[in-house]
Amino acid sequence: MELLSVSLGVYYGDFTVAAASENLTASQGRTLTVLRRGPAAMRTLAENMTCDASNVTGIVDRLEKRGLVRREADPSDRRVKNVVLTAEGERVTDAIRARMHTTRDGLDGLGDQDRKRLYALLERVFVSSSPS
């Protein structure tokens, strides 16, 4: 548990500095990262980021003003608004990832087999065991 805590601390610090280089808060950067996987409803974003929906509204408002995201009506339920990453939002997200030197250097130090094993273990621990 201690090593996991240290690892997450290093990752979060690296991410925060990279997001700041794009004039974003860590929460704004995290929102973009979540949306890089695909559009999400505001409620889903709030659940994924473990924060109140009103916080997500403020974050999305600021990202929308910068042209990094846009809101669209959900095709299956027009009452639901999905948040979608714009092309500029994708560029910024990629720039953040590219600036995460500590994390990238650490992962680059692993061979292909170790990287695949790490991915499989992280997926098994944090994705497969996550409540649906």
Side-chain angles (χ1 to χ4, degrees):
M1 296 280 293
E2 185 62 28
L3 185 54
L4 184 58
S5 175
V6 169
S7 302
L8 291 173
V10 170
Y11 173 85
Y12 186 73
D14 201 21
F15 181 84
T16 300
V17 168
S21 74
E22 291 292 328
N23 296 313
L24 296 171
T25 65
S27 295
Q28 291 169 331
R30 174 136 165 68
T31 302
L32 295 179
T33 300
V34 170
L35 293 172
R36 193 69 163 101
R37 293 180 228 140
M42 297 288 280
R43 179 184 308 255
T44 303
L45 277 175
E47 289 169 1
N48 195 297
M49 296 176 59
T50 60
C51 67
D52 190 75
S54 63
N55 291 349
V56 171
T57 299
I59 292 167
V60 170
D61 286 347
R62 288 184 287 285
L63 292 172
E64 194 171 35
K65 281 182 186 171
R66 288 194 48 190
L68 303 177
V69 301
R70 69 179 178 277
R71 290 176 171 99
E72 294 180 352
D74 186 292
S76 62
D77 185 348
R78 309 290 284 168
R79 297 169 297 176
V80 175
K81 295 291 183 197
N82 286 328
V83 183
V84 179
L85 204 57
T86 64
E88 179 63 7
E90 288 180 17
R91 185 202 66 75
V92 168
T93 305
D94 292 345
I96 290 169
R97 288 179 179 173
R99 286 188 180 95
M100 294 181 65
H101 300 296
T102 303
T103 301
R104 293 175 67 82
D105 290 349
L107 292 172
D108 287 346
L110 298 175
D112 286 342
Q113 197 69 321
D114 283 341
R115 233 186 329 265
K116 287 177 185 174
R117 194 173 306 126
L118 176 61
Y119 180 89
L121 289 169
L122 290 171
E123 185 174 49
R124 192 167 88 203
V125 171
F126 295 108
V127 178
S128 300
S129 64
S130 295
S132 313

